[in-house]
Amino acid sequence: MSGTPTPITLNLAAPTRGARGKPPRHFVDLTPEERVEAVTALGEQPFRAKQLATHYFTHLTADPAAMTDLPMATRDKLVEDLFPRLLTPTRTLTADGGTTVKTLWHLFDDVKVESVLMRYPNRATLCVSSQAGCGMACPFCATGQLGLTRNLSTAEIVEQVRSAGRSLADGELPGGPTRLTNLVFMGMGEPLANYKAVIETVRRLVAPTPDGFGMSARNIVVSTVGLVPAIDKLIKEGIPVTLAVSMHAPDDELRDELVPINTRWSVDETLDAAHRYFEATGRRVSIEYALIRDINDHAWRADLLGEKLNARGRGWVHCNPIPLNPTPGSKWTASDPAVEREFVERLRAHGIPTTIRDTRGSDIDGACGQLAAEEEG
Ligand code: SAH
């Protein structure tokens, strides 16, 4: 022992902007029981938790001014402690006559993510981000080029949902006030690589009000590159969300390149897991396939995909090819329309229900695979 005192470094700077760490605790991160505990810890009556939940999940608000059933001092105290601001909108872009809205959010630590709201004649779909950046490194995807910055918390994901719901309820999109009906984990990030926060988000989405938004599980799509153990874990949750698997190639040689995690779980292992998901939940799995000119759009690949899907059963999948949205600087581009048609026809000839996915918002970089949260300046 030298007896030399250990140098102590004090960092008194408040960990706000630029700091990496956990987002502040939010009401939504807590279970209903924990919400009661948090409220009573602040010296308030337990039933206040249910009132707060009703404001949040039913009225889609965290604004104390709207909580008129709580005494003024109580709401201010509870909101200040339990509803820290997690998302700050810094830019919104609209397309399709205002029916597509992309929002760029700054998180508490200045990290940026995006979400995209799309209104259709009889549904409204939100595409949420589950991570800032993504670690999966798919070379055709804008987010994949960023690498992973960090996982989002449950509340950071759910806040994207509440905000979209609020905006629809307020009639901010053309067509009058409406509700959010569908949610897809197809924004930034690999949802199954942030499993805990994503499954907690799903629980908040499907829980009946006032503990959650009361959405239908079938209207929630979890899209994954194919993290096989996480798919098996999802099966055990017993929440029949729709699973989408990003295939993009039916052969390991090409998929190793397009979806690098394929070197860990092969095409066959991934399809087996997808099929187990169908068997367990009865939910038809979506197979996603970005059609990239002269890379993966060959007729023989459509045949091979059809064969591999049929080898596992009938009526268990739906194919969702999408013309590639080229990302800036990419050497790749979308398939020729005639090639795309042929690809679809081949799959259908194998008896696979196939529909081309829509590319809404591509002019505002709000379409599939384009979310990169770039900001000028
Ligand atoms: N990480 C998840 C979800 C995010 S991406 C996943 O990979 O499934 C949602 C979908 O958009 C995925 O199928 C993804 O492969 C696809 N995608 C990514 N980049 C794309 C692009 N440039 N053009 C078309 N689709 C793309």
Side-chain angles (χ1 to χ4, degrees):
M1 288 293 191
S2 70
T4 315
T6 315
I8 298 170
T9 314
L10 285 181
N11 182 1
L12 297 174
T16 51
R17 303 217 130 202
R20 287 282 184 279
K22 268 171 98 90
R25 176 193 68 159
H26 189 284
F27 187 77
V28 164
D29 292 318
L30 308 176
T31 62
E33 299 71 38
E34 290 168 341
R35 291 170 196 165
V36 171
E37 283 165 28
V39 163
T40 48
L42 290 166
E44 294 296 333
Q45 297 284 333
F47 72 92
R48 298 290 182 210
K50 192 142 234 145
Q51 287 181 310
L52 291 176
T54 302
H55 283 297
Y56 189 89
F57 290 107
T58 309
H59 306 143
L60 307 172
T61 186
D63 177 4
M67 302 180 178
T68 50
D69 55 340
L70 285 89
M72 200 87 86
T74 300
R75 27 175 144 138
D76 285 345
K77 174 166 65 172
L78 292 177
V79 169
E80 190 185 323
D81 196 271
L82 296 172
F83 294 87
R85 176 185 271 272
L86 296 179
L87 307 186
T88 307
T90 57
R91 205 147 53 103
T92 61
L93 292 168
T94 61
D96 307 305
T99 56
T100 302
V101 181
K102 179 175 89 165
T103 307
L104 175 71
W105 305 101
H106 277 208
L107 309 183
F108 85 102
D109 52 359
D110 216 20
V111 163
K112 300 167 192 79
V113 294
E114 298 175 348
S115 53
V116 184
L117 179 57
M118 293 155 281
R119 183 170 190 176
Y120 299 86
N122 43 27
R123 67 179 201 278
T125 302
L126 181 70
C127 178
V128 289
S129 293
S130 57
Q131 298 182 311
C134 184
M136 296 299 123
C138 303
F140 56 90
C141 172
T143 311
Q145 309 318 297
L146 300 176
L148 178 66
T149 302
R150 70 165 171 86
N151 282 333
L152 301 196
S153 67
T154 300
E156 284 174 324
I157 306 172
V158 174
E159 271 285 273
Q160 297 171 55
V161 183
R162 182 189 64 87
S163 168
R166 184 71 261 153
S167 158
L168 290 168
D170 287 342
E172 286 174 11
L173 273 67
T178 189
R179 289 166 21 125
L180 185 69
T181 56
N182 294 63
L183 192 119
V184 297
F185 285 91
M186 292 191 182
M188 303 174 78
E190 164 53 42
L192 295 187
N194 183 13
Y195 189 87
K196 196 160 179 292
V198 166
I199 196 67
E200 287 300 319
T201 298
V202 169
R203 292 203 176 104
R204 309 294 185 273
L205 297 174
V206 301
T209 53
D211 290 332
F213 296 116
M215 290 178 76
S216 160
R218 67 175 58 230
N219 291 347
I220 298 167
V221 180
V222 174
S223 179
T224 178
V225 290
L227 304 185
V228 167
I231 293 174
D232 285 319
K233 210 165 152 191
L234 189 60
I235 290 173
K236 298 202 193 89
E237 304 288 348
I239 308 175
V241 295
T242 297
L243 181 72
V245 176
S246 298
M247 285 309 298
H248 307 311
D251 53 305
D252 288 321
E253 193 184 353
L254 179 57
R255 194 166 188 268
D256 280 352
E257 188 189 345
L258 296 181
V259 184
I261 201 72
N262 194 71
T263 56
R264 184 94 165 265
W265 294 288
S266 66
V267 168
D268 282 332
E269 289 170 311
T270 306
L271 290 177
D272 285 343
H275 187 253
R276 285 196 293 280
Y277 190 86
F278 166 76
E279 295 269 83
T281 61
R283 303 289 311 143
R284 196 178 269 201
V285 174
S286 247
I287 299 291
E288 293 166 277
Y289 202 107
L291 285 165
I292 313 175
R293 182 175 298 185
D294 297 333
I295 299 291
N296 66 352
D297 59 359
H298 315 88
W300 71 264
R301 285 199 156 96
D303 288 335
L304 182 58
L305 179 60
E307 282 158 20
K308 289 198 168 184
L309 296 176
N310 284 336
R312 288 164 173 84
R314 290 284 177 158
W316 70 281
V317 280
H318 175 265
C319 247
N320 238 198
I322 178 175
L324 182 83
N325 282 311
T327 56
S330 167
K331 52 185 188 288
W332 290 328
T333 183
S335 299
D336 188 86
V339 172
E340 177 185 305
R341 270 196 303 279
E342 172 69 10
F343 198 91
V344 169
E345 284 318 312
R346 292 270 178 148
L347 284 170
R348 288 185 181 149
H350 285 271
I352 311 287
T354 303
T355 40
I356 294 282
R357 186 147 46 101
D358 107 271
T359 58
R360 262 213 198 191
S362 52
D363 46 339
I364 53 168
D365 288 350
C368 314
Q370 290 184 327
L371 302 186
E374 288 295 333
E375 256 217 308
E376 66 270 52

